[in-house]
Amino acid sequence: MCSSLLFACDEEKPDTTVVEENGNINENGENGGNGNNGTHLIPQELETVPEAYYQAAKQQGTLVEFTYETYESRTYEQKSRKLTKRAIVYLPYGYSKENKYNAFYLMHGGWGNETSTLGTSGRPNPFKNVIDNAIENGKIQPLIIICPTYNNTSSEDSGNFGLALELNRNYHNELLNDLIPTVESAYSTYSQSSSPEDLMASRNHRGFGGFSMGSVATWRTFQYGLDYFRYFLPMSCGTSLDEDNIFAAAKNYDQDDYFVWVITGTADFAYSYDEDRVKKMRNSSYFTEADNERDGNFAYRVKAGYSHDGRASMEYTYNGLLWFWNEENSDNNSNMRTHLTTTDYVRDIVNHPAFEDFGELLLSRDDNSSYYDTRLSNVSSLMPYHGNVRPDIVVGTLNYMIDEVAGGETIFYNIYTDEQKAADVSKKNTGLFFFRGSKNAPFAVVCPGGGFSYVGSLHEGFPLAKRISELGLNAFVIRYRIGSEQKATEDLAAAIAYIFRNSETLGVSTKDYSVWGGSAGARMAGNIALSGVAEYGGGNLPKPATAVIAYTGQSTYSSDFSPAFITVAANDGIANVNTVETRVANLRNAGVEVEYKRYQTAGHGFGLGTGTDAEGWLDLAVAFWQRHISLHLSLSLSQG
């Protein structure tokens, strides 16, 4: 039975608390979160957790036992006694360091510990399944949940009511100084570093909640941690607190800097305490009650018939996470910065504000509507000729592009004028995506493959260009017309001519550029390396200094073919390795410098080759290109 105040009974299901991911803000975490203009409504009636959600999800997150160093609570300021403590960290399905995640800190109630809410990796609790299913079904955005404990020197501390109150009053020392910096340096949140400045700058992407005694911890975190947290979810707080002092912690903040959602049940012994507290909030200058974030900064919901138990704890937490950081809460500027996850859908790429006007061109076909309901975890289905498609790499690269746009960079350029597109409507589905390296460095044009029936930029274009830019060189990915090798190569010639005409504005050098291609894209690169830009309508421009050609059965060659880096896998079922090696021999016999890399098991369309025996091939290709850049530079200096 529950003690007559703040303790949650764990007989039905463990005392719970949760959170969700995805936020909105600039790269340093400043301003954003739900956004001060958020109009997404908190529902009048709480949503019941679907029964199916208590079963294991197909896409399961991971529970990590995270240890960190802190100090004994009562003598924390003296730092005389070190403690090693544990938190349980929930990482969503598809977690990647390439993405940024909101962080929700969820505190247990009385007679509990850090495992009470979600369990452990070996023994997950039912609420872990609820979070997994809600994320898989798009109800909650992927996020990181941290379940800590206020237990101090004994796992029994939370069973002593007076001691628990004292420990929660002191808990902010450990939370702000030890746990948050340690856990958020280990996992990818919106904080740029573990410094207090960066952690405070990212406060819009951090929340704290708890049921029963965890609710006391929530109010104390409001009192001492407003610099670090925007969102608070105190649930069923069954005791009186020094509310005037707690509320006054917000005296140096505007009301739109924080949001508190109070939840309880009519059959809960905490109901009367929460009623009294909410009356004080309504009379306080620090709070304005509303059902959205634009019109106020606190909400109050009461569940009829609910008492002080595990079911209430799970359902209240579930509802909080349905609302916190929901994309509908964000203003347009915040949405611009929202990252994608592998649980998002193809339509979320097309509709993302950062990709306005060219979202479809990121995808593989001219009409991608039949794929809109495909989750990004299954993005390989858009590119059937390609192997080794990694959803985490695809999504991470798209998020890099989102960050570029949010930072004010232009990433998409039309290679044809409006008049040219009007004269030939097929040209509307073309363009260049720019990945910036060092200013005034040479550029590469990457041509993704797809058998001229689709363009595999998501796998074979953008990730390659991003890596090239990381190595200090500029890279463009071409979106070309589908259906014709001739027209696709004409688009490549037009793209090269566009870059030459606009090199100063783009900040790239036109000397020693390279063309890259995989499969069908390698045929395009080979055409330019063989015949030049003018042959395909691009004007009298030099041939590329290097052609990087991956897994194609194209066999053409000549003595003035561009120096080539060629690669294929022995088990490629589309580009026959013997055909490739015959071409390599013919090029070398014609006097063309060729570097050839044969891999054994990477298959066809391996992209970056991550996780295959071809991993690292791109860096070798860049080194080959750089040697030709250096060679030409040395020749020009010696001739000068």
Side-chain angles (χ1 to χ4, degrees), residues 20-25 31-42 102 141 203-206 230-232 256-261 291-294 296 320-335 338:
E20 77 150 6
E21 188 270 302
N22 196 349
N24 320 308
I25 152 182
N31 306 322
N34 282 6
N36 297 336
N37 297 321
T39 57
H40 184 57
L41 296 179
I42 293 177
N102 294 309
Q141 292 295 321
R203 64 184 294 275
N204 290 323
H205 296 275
R206 199 172 293 113
R230 178 183 182 88
Y231 297 109
F232 301 88
D256 58 11
D257 287 333
Y258 52 93
F259 197 96
V260 180
W261 187 359
D291 59 6
N292 65 76
E293 210 169 355
R294 182 188 64 187
L321 297 182
L322 292 182
W323 187 80
F324 291 142
W325 300 296
N326 185 296
E327 62 183 9
E328 293 181 48
N329 301 354
S330 308
D331 60 22
N332 289 335
N333 183 61
S334 295
N335 280 334
T338 300

Side-chain angles (χ1 to χ4, degrees), residues 16 170 180 270 283 286 291 387 453 534 581 622:
T16 48
N170 296 337
I180 295 178
N283 293 323
Y286 301 116
D291 59 6
S453 63
E581 292 183 346
V622 168

Side-chain angles (χ1 to χ4, degrees), residues 131-407:
I131 298 303
D132 284 341
N133 279 291
I135 290 175
E136 181 177 335
N137 287 283
K139 303 277 285 184
I140 293 174
Q141 292 295 321
L143 80 169
I144 296 173
I145 300 171
I146 302 94
C147 296
T149 181
Y150 54 82
N151 286 333
N152 186 31
T153 58
S154 169
S155 60
E156 305 298 320
D157 288 344
S158 60
N160 182 321
F161 177 69
L163 176 59
L165 287 177
E166 179 184 3
L167 294 177
N168 274 306
R169 182 182 287 275
N170 296 337
Y171 183 69
H172 65 277
N173 292 313
E174 173 185 329
L175 174 68
L176 305 182
N177 298 326
D178 304 323
L179 177 58
I180 295 178
T182 307
V183 77
E184 296 199 28
S185 62
Y187 301 107
S188 182
T189 68
Y190 279 82
S191 184
Q192 295 297 299
S193 76
S194 60
S195 72
E197 294 78 12
D198 282 342
L199 290 169
M200 287 187 279
S202 60
R203 64 184 294 275
N204 290 323
H205 296 275
R206 199 172 293 113
F208 196 105
F211 184 88
S212 192
M213 185 61 79
S215 191
V216 174
T218 304
W219 279 115
R220 292 303 180 195
T221 301
F222 181 92
Q223 181 177 7
Y224 297 110
L226 259 179
D227 282 347
Y228 291 80
F229 290 87
R230 178 183 182 88
Y231 297 109
F232 301 88
L233 186 65
M235 301 169 286
S236 295
C237 184
T239 188
S240 298
L241 298 170
D242 50 328
E243 282 87 0
D244 290 343
N245 290 330
I246 292 172
F247 297 169
K251 64 182 178 182
N252 294 321
Y253 290 85
D254 294 329
Q255 282 199 16
D256 58 11
D257 287 333
Y258 52 93
F259 197 96
V260 180
W261 187 359
V262 180
I263 308 179
T264 192
T266 57
D268 193 322
F269 73 85
Y271 175 56
S272 60
Y273 293 99
D274 279 322
E275 280 280 299
D276 289 344
R277 188 172 297 105
V278 166
K279 288 178 183 177
K280 293 179 181 179
M281 295 175 75
R282 288 169 176 156
N283 293 323
S284 170
S285 62
Y286 301 116
F287 294 102
T288 299
E289 189 172 9
D291 59 6
N292 65 76
E293 210 169 355
R294 182 188 64 187
D295 298 329
N297 67 349
F298 100 90
Y300 180 46
R301 293 292 183 269
V302 179
K303 184 76 171 183
Y306 271 46
S307 60
H308 204 81
D309 57 26
R311 178 185 68 160
S313 174
M314 285 189 279
E315 192 160 301
Y316 300 167
T317 305
Y318 170 74
N319 277 268
L321 297 182
L322 292 182
W323 187 80
F324 291 142
W325 300 296
N326 185 296
E327 62 183 9
E328 293 181 48
N329 301 354
S330 308
D331 60 22
N332 289 335
N333 183 61
S334 295
N335 280 334
M336 177 74 75
R337 303 177 184 277
T338 300
H339 276 193
L340 298 164
T341 73
T342 55
T343 59
D344 286 325
Y345 295 89
V346 168
R347 65 171 174 267
D348 296 318
I349 299 176
V350 177
N351 296 330
H352 198 288
F355 302 144
E356 187 176 3
D357 298 330
F358 57 81
E360 286 282 354
L361 298 183
L362 295 159
L363 304 180
S364 54
R365 291 168 172 79
D366 293 339
D367 180 3
N368 299 281
S369 57
S370 63
Y371 293 95
Y372 281 179
D373 291 331
T374 300
R375 286 193 183 274
L376 297 185
S377 58
N378 193 32
V379 70
S380 61
S381 64
L382 278 69
M383 298 168 284
Y385 299 154
H386 287 87
N388 192 48
V389 177
R390 294 276 300 264
D392 57 331
I393 292 176
V394 170
V395 169
T397 306
L398 288 170
N399 288 335
Y400 170 83
M401 298 166 75
I402 289 169
D403 290 342
E404 288 288 284
V405 174

Side-chain angles (χ1 to χ4, degrees), residues 65 75 78 95 111 167 230 232 243 325 376 399 460 499 560 571 599 620 625:
E65 297 186 23
T75 59
Q78 287 74 45
Y95 169 82
W111 292 290
L167 294 177
R230 178 183 182 88
F232 301 88
E243 282 87 0
W325 300 296
L376 297 185
N399 288 335
E460 202 171 64
I499 297 168
D560 63 347
N571 69 334
Y599 299 100
L620 298 176
W625 176 26

